[in-house]
Amino acid sequence: MNYFKSIFTPIRAFIGRKKLNWFQIIVVLLFLNALMMIPLSLNLANLESYPVEETYPNAFALVDESVLQELEGVEYSQGTLTLPDSFYMETENGIVGGNLSDSEEKTALQAENALLLQQKKLIIKENDNPVARVAYTTDFSIEDVATVEEMKKELSRQWFIQNKSFIVGSLLFSLSILLFVSLVVISLGSALFVLLTKRGQVSTIRTYKESVNLVLNALGLPTLIAMLLGIIQFNIITMIMIQTFGFIMMLLLIFMKTRFSDDIVEELTNVDDKQGNKR
């Protein structure tokens, strides 16, 4: 509550620079980072596809027009893929096959790269990476696939459905760390410059903690605005720009209003009180 009281006007932001201790400052940093993560979490939760071809570039490169020809007449029902005939195609880059026997599957997986469409699952091998075994979903369909890109897209979708929780979790964790580190660097770095103003005769900022608290107060309102706009129309770059630009503007307004001086704030407060009494 102390923090929220200090983020909406420049004067309150300056007056509230002494209200947080170091533990509360850390909590506020985590809170501001969490606000930025809300639109990101909502966006990733609705993610329906992922560029799996970038994860398995060599394996997916095995899919070409000859593979589509081998898949003519394919049928899928109740989680089972049925081909008119099994096929086993070996190239210099790896092996692609369909409806293989256990021995053929074992042989194919000894290759550097492999992509196998078995009856119950899709098997992907990329160099020395762990072999991915993806069970088909009930809505899986390649019966009407007409192009190589459509085929890759459907196989990618199958892989992503099974690995969505891991992918989303990894992205959230990575981006959360990235945003938090960025927020900490901006806060601590800006606070250092604010602290340097104490060398002036006007500034009454005396400690680094005051400077950090002031910077966090200046970040509060821009972060809330960035979060709300991110929920309406998500774009992480736009959100970061709004947060950063808004923070700079808020800090400039604080300086223009207060000159970082309690004496000037007191004069402004007295003037406002007198005007209020006259009214």
Side-chain angles (χ1 to χ4, degrees):
M1 292 301 297
N2 286 336
Y3 179 70
F4 273 109
K5 290 177 182 178
S6 304
I7 66 174
F8 293 106
T9 67
I11 293 178
R12 286 184 179 181
F14 183 74
I15 294 174
R17 75 186 188 279
K18 299 179 181 180
K19 291 185 177 181
L20 302 179
N21 58 39
W22 280 112
F23 174 76
Q24 292 170 326
I25 285 173
I26 294 172
V27 171
V28 168
L29 280 169
L30 292 171
F31 172 71
L32 292 176
N33 191 61
L35 289 180
M36 293 290 284
M37 289 299 297
I38 289 174
L40 181 61
S41 301
L42 294 174
N43 183 262
L44 290 179
N46 295 323
L47 196 63
E48 296 182 353
S49 63
Y50 183 79
V52 181
E53 192 172 352
E54 295 180 7
T55 306
Y56 302 103
N58 296 319
F60 271 73
L62 297 172
V63 180
D64 55 19
E65 292 294 339
S66 61
V67 174
L68 293 185
Q69 292 176 6
E70 294 289 345
L71 291 174
E72 290 182 359
V74 65
E75 295 181 358
Y76 178 78
S77 176
Q78 301 299 319
T80 301
L81 186 71
T82 304
L83 291 170
D85 299 295
S86 63
F87 68 96
Y88 186 99
M89 301 171 59
E90 186 173 355
T91 69
E92 59 181 11
N93 296 321
I95 294 174
V96 58
N99 206 12
L100 304 181
S101 65
D102 292 342
S103 60
E104 288 175 324
E105 178 185 318
K106 186 176 181 180
T107 300
L109 292 179
Q110 292 177 356
E112 187 174 13
N113 307 296
L115 193 148
L116 311 176
L117 289 96
Q118 298 293 68
Q119 285 187 326
K120 299 289 185 179
K121 58 182 177 279
L122 168 69
I123 302 175
I124 308 172
K125 182 186 179 186
E126 178 81 15
N127 298 325
D128 296 326
N129 296 327
V131 177
R133 301 177 186 273
V134 181
Y136 302 128
T137 60
T138 55
D139 63 343
F140 175 60
S141 177
I142 55 174
E143 298 174 17
D144 299 324
V145 167
T147 66
V148 172
E149 288 305 315
E150 288 179 358
M151 179 68 177
K152 290 180 179 180
K153 184 177 180 180
E154 179 59 20
L155 296 180
S156 294
R157 189 180 71 86
Q158 289 296 299
W159 182 91
F160 177 68
I161 289 173
Q162 184 163 303
N163 294 276
K164 182 175 181 178
S165 59
F166 173 76
I167 295 298
V168 171
S170 299
L171 288 173
L172 281 175
F173 178 77
S174 301
L175 291 172
S176 177
I177 295 297
L178 182 63
L179 287 174
F180 184 71
V181 170
S182 175
L183 184 62
V184 169
V185 170
I186 290 174
S187 300
L188 300 185
S190 301
L192 186 61
F193 284 102
V194 171
L195 182 63
L196 293 177
T197 62
K198 74 176 185 178
R199 296 184 178 182
Q201 296 179 351
V202 178
S203 177
T204 55
I205 297 175
R206 292 293 175 257
T207 67
Y208 186 60
K209 184 172 73 68
E210 287 183 39
S211 300
V212 175
N213 196 162
L214 177 61
V215 167
L216 292 183
N217 292 346
L219 272 165
L221 187 58
T223 302
L224 284 173
I225 294 172
M227 179 200 69
L228 293 173
L229 292 178
I231 292 174
I232 296 171
Q233 181 66 47
F234 177 77
N235 186 308
I236 189 63
I237 303 300
T238 302
M239 287 175 60
I240 293 174
M241 289 178 61
I242 290 172
Q243 184 191 44
T244 304
F245 181 73
F247 160 66
I248 294 172
M249 293 301 297
M250 189 66 171
L251 199 59
L252 286 174
L253 286 172
I254 294 171
F255 177 74
M256 291 172 61
K257 273 283 188 180
T258 68
R259 292 296 189 273
F260 296 154
S261 171
D262 289 317
D263 296 332
I264 294 177
V265 170
E266 187 176 354
E267 290 177 8
L268 290 172
T269 305
N270 290 335
V271 169
D272 290 340
D273 290 341
K274 289 179 181 179
Q275 290 178 347
N277 292 333
K278 289 179 180 179
R279 291 174 185 174

